[in-house]
């Protein structure tokens, strides 16, 4: 079935779920289609099917689910269905006829797929800055002023070795105090600067040393030193500033250096010590947790340039994008209700876009149908499901 791209419009509203994709979300979609030669039924079917397909695909439903639901729904008079799969409830909520076009509204309560998602095979890039050490007095013992840089860079190395599709691709060469005010703007700015979809925010609250002196009755024993490590992290979707993960990592281990030793925090001696090894174990757990959290997050990038009928986007072979892949293009905006509750609204361009050429960290795409790309602008977004 072909569609007149200029005559069909879909608008999607989603209440952003802070915990990511772990719960269902209501998607509301409106579709419009021009009535051609008085065929109202065809216009109704075109508008409904286009809105329904894009809503389901954008929400992460499988192609088989889309085909099954659209075919079944469009044969039903009330266009209502309940299922035990990815879509818990789907219904036509409104239908308005105008002089030469029809508007239909649908909404769906969509759960994440329980099976392994297709996005798991795409490479996910993460950006961060040096983790902030909240109490720098803790760095005096051992004289490790660059501890935050050493830990952050070590995490990048360990993540690269451990995770197949996870890459700490950008580390801003400074520490950042991520306060509540301006947090979302800073996350989006770092994501855009680094061309990384996800942003990792880290804060080290404890690197203190506790020394236990032996009792006078055991004067021959050496002083025992224990060093602590406490890291709090948050992982954001840098495109939409949505918080996907928040967790604390705590450990402690023997500190083998005396109080007067200058320790090189980048050295193998440090990282092979019991304390260094204890931190690496926390890094491995952190990597596993992040991998599980973002594995099924859809691959998202930005529109870099609009030239004629082609779009340049910030996804490429480095992310697993290949020639012939299908992408969607959309805009976002935020609306706030009377109670002050914020909603993230997606404006999705009708139809699909196909990758004509894939490069290292970018690609050129074109509309799969007519090639029309009216109203698409730089800094709009592109998504791979």
């Amino acid at each position: 079935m072909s569609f007149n791209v200029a005559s069909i419009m879909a608008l999607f509203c989603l209440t952003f779920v802070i915990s990511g994709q772990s719960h269902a979300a209501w998607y509301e979609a409106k579709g419009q289609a021009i009535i051609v030669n008085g065929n109202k039924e065809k216009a109704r079917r075109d508008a409904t099917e286009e809105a329904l397909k894009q809503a389901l695909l954008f929400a992460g439903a499988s192609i088989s689910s889309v085909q099954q639901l659209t075919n079944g729904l469009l044969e039903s008079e009330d266009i209502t269905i309940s299922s035990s799969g990815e879509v818990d409830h789907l219904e036509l909520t409104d239908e308005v006829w105008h002089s030469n076009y029809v508007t239909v509204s649908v909404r769906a309560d969509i759960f994440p797929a329980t099976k392994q998602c297709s996005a798991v095979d795409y490479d996910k890039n993460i950006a961060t800055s040096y983790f902030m050490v909240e109490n720098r007095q803790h760095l005096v013992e051992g004289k490790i002023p660059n501890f935050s840089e050493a830990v952050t860079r070590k995490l990048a190395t360990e993540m690269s070795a451990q995770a197949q599709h996870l890459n700490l691709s950008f580390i801003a060469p400074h520490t950042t105090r991520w306060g509540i005010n301006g947090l979302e703007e800073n996350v989006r700015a770092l994501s855009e600067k680094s061309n990384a979809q996800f942003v990792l925010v880290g804060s080290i609250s404890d690197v203190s040393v506790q020394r236990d002196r032996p009792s006078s009755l055991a004067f021959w024993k050496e002083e025992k030193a224990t060093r602590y490590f406490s890291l709090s992290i948050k992982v954001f979707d840098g495109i939409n500033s949505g918080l996907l993960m928040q967790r604390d990592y705590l450990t402690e281990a023997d500190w083998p250096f005396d109080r007067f030793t200058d320790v090189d925090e980048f050295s193998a001696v440090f990282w092979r010590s019991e304390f260094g090894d204890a931190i690496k174990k926390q890094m491995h757990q952190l990597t596993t947790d992040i991998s599980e959290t973002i594995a099924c997050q859809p691959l998202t990038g930005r529109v870099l340039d609009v030239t004629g009928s082609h779009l340049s986007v910030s996804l490429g072979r480095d992310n697993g994008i290949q020639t012939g892949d299908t992408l969607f293009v959309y805009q976002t905006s935020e609306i706030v209700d009377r109670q002050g509750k914020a909603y993230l609204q997606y404006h999705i361009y009708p139809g699909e876009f196909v990758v004509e050429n894939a490069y290292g960290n970018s690609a050129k795409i074109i509309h799969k149908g007519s090639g029309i790309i009216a109203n698409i602008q730089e800094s709009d977004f592109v998504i791979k499901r």
Side-chain angles (χ1 to χ4, degrees):
M1 180 181 294
S2 61
F3 300 100
N4 184 336
V5 175
S7 67
I8 300 175
M9 181 270 303
L11 172 65
F12 301 87
C13 302
L14 162 66
T15 303
F16 193 80
V17 183
I18 290 181
S19 58
Q21 301 261 341
S22 59
H23 302 287
W26 276 106
Y27 290 77
E28 296 181 353
K30 288 184 179 181
Q32 293 181 339
I34 290 177
I35 304 169
V36 180
N37 297 326
N39 193 338
K40 292 186 175 181
E41 183 58 29
K42 184 179 185 302
R44 175 177 178 270
R45 290 171 62 89
D46 285 356
T48 304
E49 185 170 349
E50 178 70 10
L52 184 56
K53 279 187 176 181
Q54 293 203 49
L56 290 169
L57 287 170
F58 187 78
S62 64
I63 296 297
S64 60
S65 295
V66 172
Q67 293 173 342
Q68 180 182 0
L69 287 168
T70 53
N71 290 339
L73 288 173
L74 294 174
E75 293 174 359
S76 172
E77 290 186 359
D78 58 2
I79 311 190
T80 301
I81 190 171
S82 294
S83 69
S84 57
E86 299 170 45
V87 180
D88 183 64
H89 191 72
L90 185 63
E91 60 183 7
L92 185 148
T93 59
D94 193 22
E95 181 178 325
V96 180
W97 292 92
H98 310 274
S99 59
N100 63 341
Y101 67 96
V102 61
T103 301
V104 296
S105 300
V106 299
R107 68 174 184 171
D109 192 12
I110 302 175
F111 285 82
T114 55
K115 62 183 179 180
Q116 187 182 51
C117 58
S118 59
V120 74
D121 293 327
Y122 294 109
D123 292 341
K124 309 295 178 64
N125 290 330
I126 303 174
T128 191
S129 61
Y130 298 154
F131 298 156
M132 173 66 69
V133 177
E134 296 181 10
N135 189 343
R136 294 194 61 82
Q137 282 296 115
H138 291 177
L139 305 180
V140 172
E141 178 149 345
K143 294 183 180 178
I144 48 175
N146 299 313
F147 180 73
S148 60
E149 178 183 350
V151 167
T152 310
R153 295 196 176 280
K154 191 65 174 180
L155 175 60
T157 302
E158 296 296 317
M159 188 176 290
S160 176
Q162 179 184 346
Q164 182 178 1
H165 297 292
L166 200 61
N167 181 28
L168 189 52
S169 59
F170 182 87
I171 302 175
H174 54 76
T175 56
T176 304
R177 187 172 293 278
W178 301 86
I180 296 177
N181 296 330
L183 176 60
E184 293 186 359
E185 291 79 3
N186 289 334
V187 165
R188 283 196 292 264
L190 181 55
S191 172
E192 185 170 1
K193 178 181 179 180
S194 62
N195 194 25
Q197 180 178 350
F198 302 97
V199 172
L200 171 63
V201 175
S203 176
I204 300 171
S205 60
D206 193 2
V207 202
S208 62
V209 178
Q210 177 180 329
R211 292 189 175 274
D212 297 323
R213 294 182 178 180
S215 68
S216 58
L217 299 177
F219 59 87
W220 62 90
K221 291 185 178 180
E222 293 185 357
E223 183 181 61
K224 178 179 173 59
T226 301
R227 194 152 205 165
Y228 300 91
F229 178 76
S230 177
L231 171 67
S232 298
I233 68 97
K234 295 179 181 178
V235 177
F236 292 87
D237 179 339
I239 300 295
N240 301 310
S241 303
L243 178 62
L244 303 176
M245 172 182 161
Q246 182 173 358
R247 204 156 299 176
D248 296 326
Y249 297 86
L250 311 172
T251 190
E252 61 183 74
D254 288 343
W255 180 248
F257 310 102
D258 67 48
R259 64 177 72 241
F260 304 108
T261 300
D262 292 353
V263 179
D264 181 357
E265 56 268 64
F266 296 94
S267 68
V269 172
F270 172 79
W271 287 108
R272 289 175 181 173
S273 69
E274 290 189 36
F275 181 68
D277 188 60
I279 295 177
K280 286 192 292 184
K281 288 179 180 178
Q282 295 302 307
M283 291 179 176
H284 292 168
Q285 185 59 53
L286 170 59
T287 299
T288 298
D289 293 342
I290 295 177
S291 295
E292 293 176 352
T293 298
I294 71 175
C296 289
Q297 293 292 321
L299 187 64
T300 307
R302 293 177 173 81
V303 175
L304 303 175
D305 181 67
V306 181
T307 303
S309 60
H310 289 81
L311 306 178
S312 294
V313 299
S314 64
L315 299 177
R317 291 198 303 267
D318 293 347
N319 306 103
I321 295 295
Q322 300 177 1
T323 301
D325 282 351
T326 299
L327 307 175
F328 296 91
V329 178
Y330 69 97
Q331 291 179 330
T332 63
S333 61
E334 187 178 87
I335 57 175
V336 180
D337 64 14
R338 293 180 180 178
Q339 287 72 42
K341 186 175 183 180
Y343 295 80
L344 191 63
Q345 181 170 281
Y346 293 86
H347 303 267
I348 307 173
Y349 292 101
E352 301 173 353
F353 292 77
V354 65
V355 177
E356 265 197 353
N357 298 101
Y359 310 105
N361 59 358
S362 66
K364 281 192 175 181
I365 65 175
I366 190 171
H367 194 277
K368 198 172 184 179
S370 66
I372 298 175
I373 57 173
N375 300 322
I376 296 178
Q377 304 173 16
E378 294 180 20
S379 297
D380 285 350
F381 302 106
V382 61
I383 191 170
K384 171 65 179 176
R385 283 290 183 184

